[in-house]
Amino acid sequence: MSIVELLGSKVQGKEGEVAVESFCGEGKYVGLYFSAHWCPPCRGFTPVLADFYKNMNSKKAGMLEIVFISSDRDQKSFDDYFAEMPWKALSFSDRERKASLSEHFEIDGIPTFVLLNAKDGSIIIPDANENVMEDTSGEKFPWK
């Protein structure tokens, strides 16, 4: 399933909607970050992932995009948490797609960082949290 089929044609960026196709293609990767503001382990992992993302984009600009998939309980919690993140997000209002993604990737706990090939949507690593923790600079990315 392609990234556009998974996420829809647009996701939420800091300045408005962003076309999903803009970060798909050969040699690129998409991380889906399943997380929530209310989750203490998520609140601990998010700053580490943010540093990793910034490191990756300073070295290999455009190679990795991350999309936050929220398990927050309300729009305000989502907004507050997303404000701390340097990447994109699935719109909080798209609960049906969030549920579908959670089922598709068999998410049974958060935080979970799923790494996908941006060209075809194939799974590279179903739970890359440990990879991020062990390689915060991204030297070994994409960890294949």
Side-chain angles (χ1 to χ4, degrees):
M1 189 177 290
S2 76
I3 301 295
V4 173
E5 289 172 312
L6 289 168
L7 297 174
S9 62
K10 297 188 184 296
V11 291
Q12 186 174 333
K14 297 298 181 182
E15 306 300 322
E17 290 186 329
V18 176
V20 171
E21 285 183 354
S22 71
F23 53 83
C24 294
E26 188 70 41
K28 295 184 178 185
Y29 302 90
V30 173
L32 301 181
Y33 182 43
F34 294 84
S35 184
H37 191 264
W38 55 263
C39 164
C42 299
R43 303 279 301 157
F45 184 66
T46 298
V48 175
L49 185 59
D51 286 344
F52 169 79
Y53 177 78
K54 291 171 190 172
N55 285 337
M56 283 297 301
N57 280 319
S58 70
K59 292 177 193 171
K60 303 169 185 175
M63 182 182 214
L64 172 68
E65 188 54 72
I66 295 175
V67 179
F68 170 45
I69 313 296
S70 176
S71 291
D72 284 305
R73 297 179 178 131
D74 56 63
Q75 183 72 51
K76 181 175 180 350
S77 297
F78 166 86
D79 291 341
D80 291 347
Y81 196 30
F82 182 49
E84 301 171 17
M85 300 174 179
W87 45 70
K88 315 292 187 270
L90 180 70
S91 175
F92 180 76
S93 63
D94 199 348
R95 301 287 66 192
E96 189 175 311
R97 189 175 302 270
K98 184 269 180 199
S100 174
L101 289 166
S102 294
E103 183 178 323
H104 180 81
F105 292 105
E106 300 177 355
I107 304 301
D108 59 4
I110 54 174
T112 300
F113 180 59
V114 179
L115 185 64
L116 306 173
N117 180 316
K119 182 178 179 187
D120 61 13
S122 62
I123 298 171
I124 295 172
I125 301 176
D127 186 353
N129 296 36
E130 190 173 309
N131 301 78
V132 171
M133 296 298 288
E134 291 176 359
D135 183 27
T136 56
S137 67
E139 292 299 318
K140 298 176 184 170
F141 184 83
W143 312 303
K144 303 190 230 181

